[in-house]
Each structure stands twice: as C-alpha cells, then as structure tokens.
Amino acid sequence: MNNLFVLAAVLLVVQYGQSQGLEDKPTETRRAVPQDCVCVPYYQCTNGSVNQNGIDIIDIRIKDGPCDDYLDVCCQKPDKNTDRVKPTPNKRLGCGERHPEGVGFRITGDEDNEAQFGEFPWMVAVLRNLGDKNNIYQCGGALIHPQVVLTAAHCVVGKKPSQLRIRAGEWDTQTNDELIPHQDRNIAKIIVNKDYYAGALYNDVALMFLETAVELTDNVDVVCLPNQGAIFDYSRCFASGWGKDVFGKEGKYQVILKKIELPVVPHADCQIALRKTRLGSYFELHDSFICAGGEVGKDTCKGDGGSPLVCPIKEEPTRYQQAGIVAWGIGCGDATPGVYVNVALFRSWIDQQMVKNGLDPQEYSYH
C-alpha cells in the first residue's frame, strides 16, 4: 500500500511537470531565439536595439569631480608667494616646436613618463574657476593660437566662459617655483561643434577663445594643426596630460605633466579591437575618431580628456602637429587602443571659426 502511494505521487509530479513544460528539453528548444534578433549582453541593448555607438558603455576621459572618495572634500591650499622669473626671449621656429631636453634644466631619473619642463609648450590645463584663486582641474587642452585653446567638447559643454579658465606653461602642479611662471587666462567665448553628440561623443571638439592672448615664451607656445583629411596611421606620437596613472579608484592624478609615446592605429583595426570589449561585435567606430595605443601599460586615462595627441611633421620631425584630442576608451593601459578626436577632420571648421572671430589660422599652419 505504501509503495502504491509513493508510485502514485511520482506519477502525479511527472504529469504536472509535463503540463507546465518542465520536461528535460534541449536548451535551444526551450529558449528559441527569434530570427529577427540576436543575443547580446544586457548593457549592449538599448530600447530593444543593439547598441552600436557605445552610449553608457564607454569610459569618457574626464575627471568627475575634485575628489575621488565621497569622504574627501576639496580644501584650498595655503597661498604661497614667490619671486617670479621674467619670461626669457623666445627664439621661435614656428608652431609645434617640442623641447625634448627641457627648458632651462633637464630632470633626471624620469622613469615614470614625466615630461621635461617646457617639453610640450602648447599643453594647457583647463580649470574650473571657483574664485578666490581656487581652481579645480577639469581637463586638458592645447594652444593653437595665443588666444585660442583646442579641447574636447565633453570637457566644456554646458559651461559658461566665466566658470572656466586656462593655465598655460604649467608643469608641476604642486609648486609655483618653476623657472618660468605659468600664465592664467580667462575665457571670453566657448564654441562647441554644432554636430557634437554627447551620447557617443561624436564630433567631440570645441574651441575656447581667451579674453587676452598668452605671451609666447619658452614654455608657452602653439602647436601646428594638420591639413584637412591628413592620415597618421602607424605614426609614433605623444599624448600628454595630468590624468590618472591607472583606471579606477586606485588611480592617482599626476603632479608632474606626463607623456606617453603611442602608435596611431588604423580605423578598421581599432574597430576590430573595440568589438572584442564590452562594446560588442556590432560596435561601429564613428569617422570623427582615430585611435592610438594598444600597447599594454601605455595609455591616456581618466582626467586626460581634451589633452592633445601630437605627431611629428614628416618634413621636419622635430616639430609636431596635433592629430588627436583625448576622448574616451575602455579602461586604461591594456591592449585596447584609446579613442581620440580626429583633428584633421575638423581643420576646415577650425579655420572658419578663427576667421569669424578675426584671428589668423596661419598661427598653427606649418611653413
């Protein structure tokens, strides 16, 4: 009797399972995928469609705020007055003159990618102006004219000119005792490319016009810009900035300006590499981008947004032109190339904005 009871119970369970579709069927039969869709990770699917442009997936190269830890607050350091050295006369060759041996002195023991003082005289820090000499680092930029800074749109979009200022000639952010002082300037106007798309950072380029021009000195000068449509594939180029040394909370923002030598990666090769990341196999790299890097341990990182990627001019390799603007990437320092604004795509647009504002594009033209 007991055995019959057990047998009846087992049969009842089996019958219930079959009625509910719980029988042991192959997975593909149980979860048939419709022919009009494809299985991708949840974060690659936006409103039912495959995410092809990286919205909400890419890591934008911009600092989120003054402090990384929510327990930290930004507190102004004591002001330090020092006697300044007057800028020395500058014997210019023209735009794009790099000083690989430094200006006035050379640092030794530079085993952590430190740039020499004045090595990249076009490099500027874009600061958030909080008043009372209290400035917070926002992102990087490059002088293309004594009165114009080229940067990424995502660094400055939505900001009023009065909220920002630039610092040219900076090197060691923790001292004012450098051989030649830095120069601070207020912003008169910000122009963001009209086709800028914040979601995926397409056309991520902006110009900042200064209230007063900087004085060109040994540590403050302009970079050259490439001709419209110039291609830099396989060139060995330099990126510079004060961004994090590694990605994530453990990364630290740099005190001394850093540099890294990177190869420019062809567009198609870069898209293939990016498709192997969380962006997925359907990601399409927009034409407004170029890529550089892909060498482990060598990359720009968070906080470097807006900073320049410069490549040697073939006719005169000691002088440099700006091929890219740091935009975004997937992590930092691994085998995936970083993504930069394709400056050569915007040369005509930059020229137009300069002329509209009464400034001469010849300042950044290679002669």
Side-chain angles (χ1 to χ4, degrees):
M1 184 70 178
N2 289 338
N3 291 337
L4 290 175
F5 180 81
V6 171
L7 178 60
V10 170
L11 290 173
L12 181 61
V13 169
V14 170
Q15 290 173 353
Y16 179 79
Q18 291 175 340
S19 68
Q20 300 298 315
L22 300 179
E23 63 270 31
D24 186 17
K25 293 183 178 180
T27 301
E28 59 270 22
T29 303
R30 187 168 64 249
R31 297 182 180 179
V33 179
Q35 294 183 352
D36 61 346
C37 72
V38 63
C39 292
V40 297
Y42 69 93
Y43 50 79
Q44 290 177 13
C45 191
T46 304
N47 296 326
S49 299
V50 174
N51 187 331
Q52 294 178 278
N53 52 29
I55 297 176
D56 297 327
I57 298 177
I58 61 180
D59 299 319
I60 298 175
R61 303 292 206 228
I62 187 171
K63 187 175 182 298
D64 293 328
C67 303
D68 286 327
D69 196 299
Y70 73 97
L71 295 175
D72 292 341
V73 295
C74 184
C75 188
Q76 183 178 357
K77 296 188 303 180
D79 194 22
K80 182 178 179 181
N81 294 320
T82 58
D83 294 332
R84 295 300 191 92
V85 178
K86 291 183 179 181
T88 58
N90 190 24
K91 298 178 181 179
R92 299 182 69 230
L93 295 177
C95 63
E97 185 181 2
R98 177 182 164 223
H99 305 295
E101 298 301 314
V103 172
F105 68 97
R106 176 177 175 82
I107 59 172
T108 58
D110 49 331
E111 299 177 353
D112 196 22
N113 299 317
E114 293 91 353
Q116 296 292 330
F117 174 69
E119 182 172 359
F120 303 100
W122 47 81
M123 183 73 206
V124 304
V126 180
L127 309 173
R128 272 188 284 166
N129 183 11
L130 302 183
D132 298 326
K133 297 183 179 181
N134 193 0
N135 302 303
I136 295 175
Y137 176 72
Q138 175 81 1
C139 59
L143 276 174
I144 62 171
H145 181 281
Q147 207 167 339
V148 183
V149 169
L150 177 64
T151 189
H154 76 258
C155 293
V156 298
V157 69
K159 301 290 192 301
K160 297 178 181 179
S162 60
Q163 294 177 301
L164 300 173
R165 67 192 319 179
I166 66 100
R167 176 166 294 174
E170 180 65 281
W171 180 62
D172 184 340
T173 62
Q174 300 299 304
T175 181
N176 290 328
D177 295 335
E178 290 148 341
L179 180 63
I180 308 173
H182 60 250
Q183 301 178 40
D184 288 358
R185 293 293 187 273
N186 294 326
I187 311 300
K189 181 189 296 186
I190 299 173
I191 298 178
V192 174
N193 187 279
K194 65 180 180 60
D195 294 322
Y196 169 62
Y197 174 44
L201 300 187
Y202 297 163
N203 308 303
D204 187 18
V205 60
L207 296 170
M208 294 189 292
F209 291 82
L210 311 182
E211 287 186 355
T212 56
V214 297
E215 181 179 356
L216 298 184
T217 64
D218 288 341
N219 68 327
V220 176
D221 209 334
V222 302
V223 68
C224 301
L225 292 187
N227 294 328
Q228 182 75 21
I231 296 174
F232 295 92
D233 290 354
Y234 306 109
S235 296
R236 300 292 302 189
C237 307
F238 284 100
S240 53
W242 291 276
K244 283 190 174 184
D245 49 0
V246 295
F247 189 69
K249 195 169 184 178
E250 66 275 13
K252 294 181 174 60
Y253 290 93
Q254 305 304 295
V255 172
I256 293 177
L257 181 66
K258 295 299 181 69
K259 65 180 177 184
I260 194 73
E261 187 178 15
L262 302 167
V264 175
V265 179
H267 194 274
D269 294 346
C270 184
Q271 180 170 276
I272 291 172
L274 290 170
R275 285 180 172 181
K276 295 177 181 178
T277 71
R278 65 177 184 263
L279 293 171
S281 58
Y282 292 88
F283 175 75
E284 295 181 2
L285 184 64
H286 195 257
D287 289 340
S288 65
F289 297 125
I290 63 171
C291 298
E295 298 177 348
V296 177
K298 296 182 178 182
D299 200 2
T300 51
C301 203
K302 206 168 185 68
D304 285 324
S307 297
L309 174 75
V310 298
C311 303
I313 297 172
K314 291 180 180 179
E315 295 82 359
E316 194 173 349
T318 60
R319 292 172 64 184
Y320 286 74
Q321 54 191 338
Q322 185 173 355
I325 304 170
V326 178
W328 60 272
I330 300 297
C332 301
D334 56 19
T336 305
V339 183
Y340 299 73
V341 179
N342 182 2
V343 173
L345 186 68
F346 299 97
R347 171 64 190 266
S348 295
W349 176 80
I350 294 170
D351 288 353
Q352 292 169 5
Q353 301 307 316
M354 295 289 287
V355 172
K356 283 182 181 179
N357 286 273
L359 299 177
D360 188 0
Q362 292 301 311
E363 286 285 350
Y364 50 73
S365 299
Y366 171 72
H367 303 291

